[in-house]
Amino acid sequence: MAYTASNISRAEPKINQSATQVIESADFKRLVSLRWTVSMVLLALLFVTYYGYILLIPYAPEFMTTKIGEVTTAAIPIGVGVIVVAFVLTAFYVGWANKSYDPEVERLKNTLRK
Amino acid sequence: MLTSARQLLDLAAQAADYKLGERNNTALLFFFIIVAITLVITYWAAKKTKTSSEFYAAGRSVSAAQNGLALAGDYMSAASFLGISGMVAMKGYDGMVYATGWLVGWPALMFLVAEPLRNLGKFTFADVVAFRLRQTPVRIASAIGGILTVLFYTIAQMVGSGNLIKLMFGIPYLWAEIIVGVVMLAYVLFGGMLATTWVQIIKACLLLFGVSLLTVLVLVKVGAPTDLYAKVAHEYGQKMLEPGALAKNPLEAVSLGLALMLGLLGLPHILMRFYTVPDAKAARKSVLYATGLIGYFYIIIPIVGFGAAVLIPGGQAAIKAIDAGGNMAAPVLALTLGGTPFLGFIAAVAFATILAVVAGLTLAGASAYSHDIYVNVIKKGKATEEEQMHAAKRATIVFGIFAVGLGILFKGQNVAFMVGLAFSIAASANFPALFMSIVWKRFSTQGAVAAMLTGAFLSVGMILLSPTVWVDVFHNASAIIPLKNPCVISMTASFIVGIVVSLLSPDPLAQAKFEDEKLRTYLGVGAE
């Protein structure tokens, strides 16, 4: 039988009452959707920053080669800026998760143990 | 063409021998000190490594800061250090465009997969993909994608390392490969993930220290970065400070950017690091540490490159005379700024860097075989602890021998396409399936297998027909597929195939388990 192996290795879904309640609770659903909203907004900002930079090079060469100092081109601080923005977005996510996500996770986990 | 390349290499080796001469002894001394320290750590780690969880995941006891350093160590290869500084020295600003691309995957890794990966997996990323699907087909497909990625990445590292070591230490290529293989096997075989983690940490600290020191010395000599730019523009023209050829073709640039960014999310040796920390919170923090360290590294490395171009006597021509690709810019700069001891130190750091990255890759390749294929497919998940460890060690030895053998076989090949392949396969085969298995309820076994195989074989096939292989390696007049990096097409195809096949083959049991999985994905309930 083709399915024998998979049935052995795949544990039966064991959802007790309170687990089902947590999964179906409005709080849990809100938490999951908030987590992905935050992620996707930050990811969108990352895409705009990085691909914006990549596309500025072929589409706005005059802007990128503008001298902002004696010889320094605009492209130099912009390149460094992309790296800094990437780090700031990561830091923002960690800050948000520590402050808002984790306490809610703890609370929901506690309702589960009851 | 090939003979002229070989002549060039010989010439470069002669130039290195002539220029670097007896300094090799200093370099070797530093190298032996570093290897001795790491082997002591391996001995200590070996005493702690008894179970498979300790072998693959360091007993899940690595702290967030340690893992951040180890992630940075795994990621900052010799290609980043020598390659980017060399590229900046020779081509100027374009090297910075690359540096940026190597960093932006880290935030994406954090937002999309880091925490779910930690909560759902055990030893490999296949644990997550296979979590609620049928084990056998999914594990086999994941192992194909995982092993292909690791293999191409390893070949690139081994070929690159052989050439570099030959240039720096004057050791023949063959011996360089064997030394890397033997020392690396000692780390992985005896110390497992714990020793490999500490090797990465030491290497990351040495590398960051070495590059910082180079940067400080350059700035002490030249003044502020703007003075450095002025010197560069004065000697080589304003063009050095402007983005050039790299991004002339926007589609190409975006495809390369996608491969660099999302390829990170499918690199098995990076993903398995998340199992070494105790929980998702530590996984998250470790990404922040890694992003900070790697970002700092990529911000200062162009200063080293520009410094090399203006401070080394003879400038670009002198760098090119030693190695046509410019890879020796940083070591020669070290020689100029700090004499032979500093050159010895930087050479040893570069060697340690290669050693550590290959060790991480070997562990990932071995676990893809022993955990995914041997334990879960052949033994149906019922292997004893002893059998698992034996399989892991056997796989490590086989993978190590393969790495050395392939390194020798591919001597003198263009490593750029192998790195490109590794990132394309990672982004096309591993990442789409991993991501869909985390977020999409209706993802099915057939969908996962189809997505992974499509991504793996399409990216390999398209690279073979691309200018990098079809023209540069096979010497055809023009490429069948004009894109150098296929990621934009192969990754999209993998997503589409995965979605269509999943919709055509609904798996009700997998959908039922998705709800159960959510508690583990988001709350960490039941996570190991």
Side-chain angles (χ1 to χ4, degrees):
Chain A
M1 290 292 284
Y3 289 96
T4 324
S6 61
N7 284 347
I8 293 169
S9 51
R10 236 192 317 183
E12 286 300 309
K14 262 188 281 179
I15 298 182
N16 61 37
Q17 198 53 40
S18 79
T20 322
Q21 276 168 4
V22 169
I23 290 168
E24 282 170 3
S25 71
D27 283 352
F28 182 71
K29 284 182 177 160
R30 199 179 311 127
L31 180 74
V32 171
S33 89
L34 185 63
R35 186 239 180 266
W36 284 109
T37 309
V38 171
S39 284
M40 287 302 159
V41 168
L42 291 172
L43 188 71
L45 290 173
L46 181 72
F47 267 61
V48 169
T49 310
Y50 177 62
Y51 293 103
Y53 167 67
I54 288 292
L55 293 174
L56 271 182
I57 295 171
Y59 289 117
E62 328 71 39
F63 170 68
M64 293 299 265
T65 55
T66 314
K67 285 186 190 174
I68 53 163
E70 197 188 331
V71 292
T72 313
T73 53
I76 291 176
I78 291 174
V80 173
V82 172
I83 294 179
V84 173
V85 169
F87 177 75
V88 169
L89 292 175
T90 314
F92 181 86
Y93 180 83
V94 173
W96 170 79
N98 285 345
K99 203 167 141 266
S100 314
Y101 186 72
D102 283 348
E104 184 65 7
V105 166
E106 276 312 307
R107 197 181 68 75
L108 287 170
K109 262 161 99 174
N110 286 334
T111 62
L112 193 66
R113 285 198 197 98
K114 267 193 290 191
Chain B
M1 189 67 206
L2 242 160
T3 47
S4 74
R6 195 152 294 152
Q7 278 165 353
L8 204 69
L9 258 175
D10 289 342
L11 207 71
Q14 280 166 15
D17 280 338
Y18 172 71
K19 285 210 165 179
L20 308 177
E22 60 196 57
R23 285 145 205 157
N24 296 352
N25 293 336
T26 328
L28 283 172
L29 179 71
F30 272 108
F31 173 66
F32 281 122
I33 293 171
I34 291 173
V35 170
I37 294 170
T38 48
L39 284 178
V40 169
I41 286 166
T42 307
Y43 175 75
W44 159 79
K47 288 195 285 190
K48 294 188 152 195
T49 306
K50 289 191 181 64
T51 65
S52 57
S53 156
E54 281 154 0
F55 186 80
Y56 293 123
R60 315 201 192 282
S61 61
V62 176
S63 78
Q66 287 167 348
N67 195 45
L69 267 168
L71 281 167
D74 251 325
Y75 197 64
M76 296 184 296
S77 62
S80 314
F81 170 39
L82 302 175
I84 292 186
S85 57
M87 203 189 284
V88 172
M90 305 307 289
K91 295 188 175 142
Y93 188 85
D94 282 349
M96 282 181 79
V97 181
Y98 261 93
T100 318
W102 291 111
L103 180 83
V104 289
W106 287 92
L109 176 69
M110 168 83 96
F111 306 149
L112 296 180
V113 298
E115 294 158 286
L117 187 77
R118 175 62 192 84
N119 282 340
L120 290 173
K122 198 173 170 197
F123 297 139
T124 65
F125 78 92
D127 294 336
V128 180
V129 185
F131 193 81
R132 63 198 158 97
L133 305 176
R134 289 216 314 280
Q135 297 289 319
T136 309
V138 175
R139 295 263 179 198
I140 292 173
S142 313
I144 291 173
I147 289 175
L148 277 178
T149 311
V150 171
L151 212 55
F152 283 110
Y153 213 113
T154 308
I155 296 174
Q157 293 291 331
M158 291 300 283
V159 172
S161 68
N163 289 327
L164 293 174
I165 289 160
K166 193 175 133 191
L167 281 170
M168 276 194 220
F169 294 87
I171 311 171
Y173 184 88
L174 188 71
W175 280 105
E177 298 292 286
I178 292 172
I179 292 172
V180 170
V182 169
V183 179
M184 171 279 284
L185 271 180
Y187 295 155
V188 180
L189 216 47
F190 300 114
M193 191 51 145
L194 191 57
T196 309
T197 302
W198 278 103
V199 169
Q200 303 291 10
I201 292 172
I202 292 171
K203 164 250 166 121
C205 292
L206 284 172
L207 186 59
L208 288 167
F209 173 73
V211 175
S212 301
L213 198 58
L214 273 173
T215 306
V216 170
L217 289 175
V218 166
L219 294 179
V220 163
K221 230 171 177 154
V222 183
T226 45
D227 298 325
L228 179 65
Y229 303 145
K231 247 176 127 70
V232 170
H234 177 72
E235 265 184 58
Y236 301 101
Q238 182 69 18
K239 276 266 169 276
M240 281 285 280
L241 304 174
E242 295 173 352
L246 253 180
K248 279 280 146 64
N249 179 344
L251 183 65
E252 187 78 75
V254 168
S255 193
L256 175 69
L258 274 178
L260 290 181
M261 184 191 264
L262 299 171
L264 173 68
L265 284 67
L267 291 178
H269 65 299
I270 297 287
L271 298 178
M272 77 184 291
R273 285 232 150 267
F274 290 100
Y275 304 130
T276 65
V277 292
D279 53 25
K281 195 180 167 79
R284 182 199 301 150
K285 272 197 208 156
S286 63
V287 179
L288 183 64
Y289 285 118
T291 313
L293 293 167
I294 298 167
Y296 164 74
F297 177 80
Y298 285 134
I299 285 176
I300 63 169
I301 198 86
I303 296 179
V304 175
F306 283 129
V310 295
L311 291 177
I312 292 171
Q316 289 182 342
I319 299 168
K320 208 173 173 177
I322 295 172
D323 177 75
N327 288 320
M328 290 296 116
V332 181
L333 177 66
L335 179 66
T336 313
L337 291 172
T340 48
F342 196 29
L343 168 72
F345 175 72
I346 291 294
V349 168
F351 203 166
T353 295
I354 292 157
L355 213 51
V357 173
V358 176
L361 286 165
T362 301
L363 196 58
S367 64
Y369 168 75
S370 59
H371 176 62
D372 293 331
I373 301 291
Y374 176 78
V375 175
N376 280 297
V377 175
I378 297 177
K379 287 288 193 172
K380 307 286 179 213
K382 295 209 186 319
T384 64
E385 198 58 50
E386 207 182 359
E387 285 174 321
Q388 290 190 33
M389 283 298 280
H390 277 206
K393 294 199 166 173
R394 269 201 311 276
T396 306
I397 294 171
V398 170
F399 198 89
I401 293 171
F402 258 93
V404 173
L406 291 169
I408 294 166
L409 195 69
F410 280 81
K411 181 185 177 181
Q413 283 297 320
N414 171 0
V415 297
F417 90 84
M418 283 179 267
V419 176
L421 251 180
F423 269 86
S424 288
I425 299 170
S428 311
N430 309 343
F431 162 67
L434 178 64
F435 184 60
M436 286 192 281
S437 75
I438 292 170
V439 295
W440 193 36
K441 185 175 180 173
R442 297 170 75 176
F443 198 44
S444 76
T445 301
Q446 286 90 335
V449 171
M452 287 188 279
L453 296 182
T454 304
F457 292 114
L458 197 60
S459 47
V460 172
M462 284 181 72
I463 289 215
L464 288 179
L465 301 178
S466 78
T468 355
V469 176
W470 202 248
V471 178
D472 295 354
V473 179
F474 294 148
H475 306 298
N476 290 296
S478 64
I480 296 173
I481 291 166
L483 269 183
K484 277 188 185 164
N485 195 303
C487 190
V488 68
I489 295 170
S490 54
M491 188 180 78
T492 313
S494 175
F495 269 113
I496 293 172
V497 168
I499 291 168
V500 171
V501 174
S502 293
L503 291 176
L504 291 177
S505 61
D507 186 344
L509 190 55
Q511 291 181 22
K513 275 205 87 184
F514 185 72
E515 295 301 325
D516 189 22
E517 180 184 301
K518 270 185 170 172
L519 278 186
R520 190 159 160 171
T521 313
Y522 300 103
L523 303 185
V525 175
E528 286 179 63

